[in-house]
Amino acid sequence: MQQHTYPLEAWCIRETSFDTASHFLDETLFALGNGYIGLRGTGEEGYSGPAGTSLDGTYLNGFYESEPIQYPEAAYGLARVNQFMLNVPNAKGVELWLGDERFDLLTGSVQTYERVLDFRTGLLTRVVEWTSPQGRSVRVRSRRMVSFENKHLFAIEFEVTSLNFEGRMRLVSALDGAVKNQEAGDDPRVGSAISGPTLHMVDAEQTDSFSALVQKTHNSGFTLVSATQSLLSADLPAVCAQDGQRLTQSWELAVSAGQSVTLTKYGSYYSSRDYDAKELMWRSKDTLTNAAAAGFDDLRLAQEQYLADFWQQADVQIAGDDALQQGMHFNQFHLLQSVGRDGKTNISAKGVTGEGYEGHYFWDTEIYIFPFFLYSKPEIARKLLEYRYAGLPKARERARQMSHDKGALYPWRTIAGDECSAYFPAGTAQYHINADIAYSIRMYMDATGDQEYLVKAGAEIVMETARIWTGIGSYDREGRFCINQVTGPDEYTALVNNNYYTNAMAQMHLNFAASIAEQLQAQAPSEFARIAVAMALDAGEPAGWRRAAALMHLPYDAALQIHAQDDSFLSKKVWDFANTPKENYPLLLNYHPMVIYRHQVCKQADVVLALLLLSDQFSLEDKRRDFDYYEAVTTHDSSLSSCIFGIIAAEVGYQDKAYHYFMETARLDLDDTHGNTHYGVHTAAMAGTWLGVAYGFAGMRVVGGALHFSPQLPKQWQHYTFKIHFRGALLEVHVQAGRVEYRLLQGDALEFTHGGETVTLTLSQPKQARSFA
């Protein structure tokens, strides 16, 4: 595990030396994105360091290649085609030559070096003073941004100042299509199993300042146009060249000491997933022409304004722990960089910073990431729900493949809606994905009251997916509704009967679906009739959902007084933690799945997650007993785990543990605590940091549509502040020693409870203070 600590600054990460040992990790942490384009943090000049210390990747959220999944032994219903995010042409390349010497930080000597990723401006700035092996010295200052205002655009400003060099300087702007994806090897979390190029060139176009590559995927049938517009501050013609799939413009000029020259480069990516292939080239030219006309500084100012608006709504302030404050802002910024905002794309487990998990979307979105956007920037939350509605036809297809004659089953991992999980015990078997999506819709409705969304999309999703529970479940001899042969959130326990989390979430889902049916029948009968026809809903189905929910089997062990993770979990032998070497974690990389499955050992929160999501169904004593039991058998090998344990630890009064888990979550990527951040950030854990403040220390819950807080202040902090959108209002919560202040920043009125007491804020009284123990 690489411990990597930058100076503890609230609004940036700052690197003050260049080191090949940390370079792979730095590429991830200094990555830039806008929810569509992702540029890893490699220098414009490229990288010539040791093998295995770099992956100079550029990614497009939702742009993928597909390949048949090869099974040595096939079976009916297995996922047939994998989709994986591509490493697309590298458009950020800029070479600098001083005479016959190329600017390269691994040759010559670096006098000064600083690189800063600023969360308030969205700029990645680097300043280097470098001397070549022959003694030629220059200062290079680069600024890079990926536009939040235009998802297809990025920009780079590359300024070179001669410090002592007199002679010929050459600058080369490159667009390189000869790239390939990272190979996964033995670690399924790393990347794809595909080697070699995944895009083939169809055409190329070049002018004095413009370069474009037209490429197609082999199997998924997409066309991609990658383009650049490069402008030099000196009035010189460019020399254009093409070497295979690499296009360049180069300029050569005589410079003297003290002279500066700037190359400004604008890049764009357009694919046929968004537009007709015939439109891609002119759209690329139009975008780049407009960007160049505006100039880098205008784009920079627009970026700052977008981020100022974001932070005005989303900023979480922590006073008293600089490491956590930096971690919080870093995580929030990367979430914004990673999330699709077009209704066509989602947010992958690694965002757009790396190829881990092949760019797939998981349940991480709904349960971990969705709440952050729902309460911080709700318009993005709605786009995430629109993505799921767009995937409903594919989910219906998958349900038929899985022998359900009605309903919809969402894929465990996907990009375009098809199931891409080749390992069904820990993939397709996680039927709880349906309930997780329904839960996010319930959260959205509680927080927004957006009836238009419910009628247009939400009701159909919730009811279609609820049907799966009555399709997969059955009543046993005791009359209990049982759900057999599924896998819960804990991927170290697969294919079990009556996983507690799955059954409890299915119960919520079934009741929610029935409530929606009843509500729409009463309040919007014509809309209900339209939806019922579209999904061929039988009149008696909602009553069947209610019955299954009422008789749901929820395993409980009376002797231990805990909720059993499933019917068999407590009868298994507890994993021998004392004699498991530290280097054997994570277990999934060192033990056959069946060895793990036959033990009591959890990869991540399972029952403990149910304690959070269905909080009102458990007493505090229940939560404490469950927490104590499952903490002892959980490895936290999943980055999804520590934040949930931290929230429940805070609720049951384990303050030191809560803080430890929160610290683990907040700094997971910055300190590379899981040892694999170089393959991409962990977006679920990043969102879990926000959950740790709001759900954990502030005790925020929404029960039956009502908002509740029960704040506490960690002893390490002086105070903390966060904001949430709820029912058209923007509420600021400020917690300090013994006291909490609530302030209404937007909206006419808001009512909620503080420690069980009702608080009402209005325009005339926008602020109230309350004490807490």
Side-chain angles (χ1 to χ4, degrees), residues 401-479:
Q401 293 167 4
M402 295 299 293
S403 302
H404 300 291
D405 60 3
K406 59 177 65 173
L409 177 61
Y410 276 95
W412 179 244
R413 54 189 294 176
T414 189
I415 293 177
D418 301 281
E419 177 62 82
C420 295
S421 176
Y423 186 65
F424 73 86
T428 298
Q430 296 204 44
Y431 268 64
H432 65 84
I433 181 70
N434 270 14
D436 302 330
I437 293 169
Y439 187 88
S440 71
I441 293 172
R442 191 180 78 165
M443 272 195 295
Y444 179 77
M445 294 306 302
D446 283 344
T448 68
D450 186 354
Q451 291 297 314
E452 187 263 347
Y453 166 76
L454 183 69
V455 168
K456 182 178 178 181
E460 191 174 350
I461 294 175
V462 172
M463 292 191 292
E464 274 283 49
T465 51
R467 286 171 145 177
I468 295 299
W469 300 120
T470 50
I472 189 178
S474 59
Y475 294 92
D476 67 6
R477 288 178 297 176
E478 299 174 43

Side-chain angles (χ1 to χ4, degrees), residues 45-46 58 123 145 150 304 337 475 528 543 564 615 653 699 702 706 714 768:
E45 70 279 3
T58 301
L123 290 185
M145 58 166 282
N150 184 338
E304 287 185 18
Q337 291 199 129
Y475 294 92
F528 178 76
S615 182
V702 178
Q768 283 197 32

Side-chain angles (χ1 to χ4, degrees), residues 165 167-171 232 234 236 251-255 259 261:
F165 175 56
R168 305 298 294 180
M169 175 188 292
R170 184 157 56 99
L171 283 162
L232 194 71
L236 291 171
W251 298 263
E252 187 168 326
L253 66 160
V255 297
Q259 185 177 344
V261 62

Side-chain angles (χ1 to χ4, degrees), residues 495-527:
L495 298 176
V496 297
N497 295 342
N498 297 306
N499 167 256
Y500 186 92
Y501 175 91
T502 301
N503 286 21
M505 290 290 282
Q507 183 183 57
M508 173 281 303
H509 186 179
L510 290 162
N511 279 326
F512 182 41
S515 295
I516 286 175
E518 294 156 6
Q519 174 194 334
L520 292 183
Q521 276 184 296
Q523 299 175 7
S526 61
E527 295 288 2

Side-chain angles (χ1 to χ4, degrees), residues 306-317:
Y306 184 95
L307 284 166
D309 176 69
F310 170 72
W311 290 117
Q312 192 275 330
Q313 301 172 71
D315 185 18
V316 177
Q317 301 169 31

